[in-house]
Structures are given as C-alpha cells and as structure tokens.
C-alpha cells in the first residue's frame, strides 16, 4: 500500500479521533482550543502527528473572521496529511447559506415565510459582509466538496441534529453524493429546500429523540450520533435570561447516550468545544 505521508509503524493503528463543534468565525477561540488540546503549536500549525480531526461545520457567520477560520482549516488539512494524520470537515447549514448567498444573492426564492433570498437569509443569520467580500474561488470549491456526514470509529458524524439526512439517501455515500450533485447542478429552489431541511434541529431531544437517533444509526451505521448545530444551552434549557454567559462544562451526552452535542454556544459567550472520542 502506498502512503502519501509518513508510513505507520508495523501494527500501528490510526491516531486519536477529535471532533470540533461550531466555530462561527471565532478564530481566536478556535486557535486557543486547538492549542489547549495539543492539536496545533503556538504558531498555529499542526502538531498532532497521526491524529484524526473532524470539524462538524458552520465555520462562518456571527463571529468576526469566518474566512480566517476556513483558511486555517484548509491549512491544517494539508499539514495533517503531511504528518500522517488528517483534518476533515462536514458541511453545515451555514455553509449552504453562505454559498447560496454568494451564488444567488438577492434572487428570489419561495419560502414558507413568503418570498425571500439567500442574501437576506444569510444576513438575518449573522452573515458578515467582510467574509463575503473575501470569499475566493478556492474557498467555494473547497466548501462545495465537503461531505454532509461521515462515520468514524462507530460515531456517526453530522452537523445538524435532524433526521433530514434520510431524505437524501440510504447510505452515507448516497447522502454525500446527493448533496454534492444538488450544489453542482440543481437550481435555487432545490438549494433553498436543502438549506431549510438542514436548519431543522432538536430531533434527538425529548421522548421521541432516542427513536430518531436509533433510526439514523440503523440506516447509516455506528452506535452514537455526534452533532453540532444546536447550542448545548438550548438543548439543556440552561441558558440564563439575564445575559450572563451559559455554563457549558463540555459536550452534552443525551438521548439515552445515543447522541453527543458539540455546539458549546461560542456565539452566546459559551465555549468552542474540542473533544477526543470516545466519550464516556
């Protein structure tokens, strides 16, 4: 077997697995969290050897430097591969929204709330004009090829806590191919429909949540769903109304331990979470 990076020692297994929740443009917080976990050095370069890292999506919007976040993830992907590990990322609903705003702008779409546009929805959802102005063709190409879901060490990795993935295929490969085909060839209404579906949330919460998680796991494999998208303070109902920062001790395991939430609510003064899997 040919390895395009340092070949593992005989009997050496894959490196440790890490997942990272929603970043939303908070580059400084991301750098600090990655450095704390030993994944990057003080200069912001990969220092984790053969470790495997998955970002769960939502790089832009609301925070100050979404393009800086994308540039960092692309840089780490190259550096990790050279070290024998990898750094990969999922497509979040904000990637769909950001790409839609860049491609379709103010072109009208039919939504349940009346006529809208990707650009208007992007701005309402925290879109930062300086990110759009700095978006380059290589960013668009990279974002457009991100998978919607993945399976690692029995963990089904998703961005959104929704069962909408089931509408796009019966295997992980089918879902990813369907999303990529939609972004490449379909029109604005199909793109908008996908954005709306992947913006749904809270599927694994409450009495029906365990069954929803079981349905996804039965279809796509794995024993536990790991997702971002819905901030943990909203899932737990523990978000102060007086504006004080929420208490987020770490990832949130719920739905009879079939789901792990990784959005620590960095946009609401919570935390940007980086976690090594498996979690107890």
């Amino acid at each position: 077997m040919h390895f395009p990076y340092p070949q593992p020692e005989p009997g050496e297994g894959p490196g440790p697995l890490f997942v990272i929740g929603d970043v939303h443009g908070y580059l400084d917080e991301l750098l600090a969290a990655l450095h704390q976990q030993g994944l990057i050095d003080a200069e912001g370069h990969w220092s984790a050897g053969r470790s495997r890292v998955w970002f769960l999506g939502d790089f832009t919007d609301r925070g100050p430097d979404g393009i800086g976040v994308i540039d960092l993830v692309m840089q780490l992907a190259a550096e990790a591969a050279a070290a024998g590990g990898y750094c990969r990322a999922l497509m979040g609903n904000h990637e769909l929204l950001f790409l839609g705003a860049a491609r379709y702008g103010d072109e009208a779409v039919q939504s349940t709330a009346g006529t809208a546009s990707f650009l208007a929805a992007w701005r309402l959802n925290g879109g930062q004009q300086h990110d759009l102005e700095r978006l380059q063709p290589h960013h668009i190409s990279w974002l457009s090829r991100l998978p919607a879901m993945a399976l690692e060490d029995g963990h089904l990795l998703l961005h959104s806590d929704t069962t909408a993935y089931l509408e796009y295929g019966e295997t992980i490969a089918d879902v990813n191919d369907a999303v990529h085909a939609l972004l490449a060839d379909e029109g604005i209404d199909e793109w908008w429909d996908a954005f709306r579906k992947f913006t749904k949330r809270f599927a694994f919460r409450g009495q029906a949540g365990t069954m929803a998680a079981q349905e996804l796991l039965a279809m796509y494999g794995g024993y536990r769903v790991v997702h971002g998208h819905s901030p943990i303070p909203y899932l737990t109902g523990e978000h102060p109304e007086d504006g004080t920062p929420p208490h987020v001790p770490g990832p949130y395991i719920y739905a009879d331990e079939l789901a792990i939430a990784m959005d620590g609510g960095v946009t609401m003064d919570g935390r940007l979470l980086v976690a090594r899997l498996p979690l107890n």
Side-chain angles (χ1 to χ4, degrees), residues 48-62:
R50 295 180 57 79
S51 295
R52 297 167 293 155
V53 168
W54 275 95
F55 284 83
L56 299 181
D58 279 9
F59 301 116
T60 66
D61 306 339
R62 301 197 177 107

Side-chain angles (χ1 to χ4, degrees), residues 100-172:
R103 178 167 177 171
Y104 294 111
D106 276 321
E107 184 176 340
V109 296
Q110 294 299 320
S111 74
T112 55
T115 302
S117 73
F118 267 104
L119 193 60
W122 174 70
R123 287 172 175 155
L124 282 172
N125 282 275
Q128 303 295 308
Q129 185 63 32
H130 56 266
D131 281 341
L132 193 59
E133 292 169 354
R134 294 160 59 206
L135 183 66
Q136 300 295 317
H138 70 277
H139 297 132
I140 295 173
S141 177
W142 184 78
L143 291 169
S144 299
R145 294 197 304 267
L146 295 178
M149 60 194 318
L151 184 64
E152 289 280 2
D153 297 355
H155 297 87
L156 183 61
L157 308 181
L158 315 168
H159 171 70
S160 304
D161 46 329
T162 177
T163 58
Y165 296 90
L166 294 165
E167 300 180 42
Y168 289 88
E170 296 182 355
T171 68
I172 290 172

Side-chain angles (χ1 to χ4, degrees), residues 228-275:
H229 189 48
S230 292
I232 291 170
Y234 290 143
L235 284 167
T236 61
E238 298 174 0
H239 52 100
E241 300 292 341
D242 60 2
T244 58
H247 176 60
V248 181
Y252 176 52
I253 304 174
Y254 68 118
D256 287 337
E257 300 192 350
L258 292 179
I260 300 175
M262 283 294 302
D263 183 349
V266 67
T267 64
M268 50 196 294
D269 295 322
R271 292 176 60 193
L272 200 163
L273 293 178
V274 180

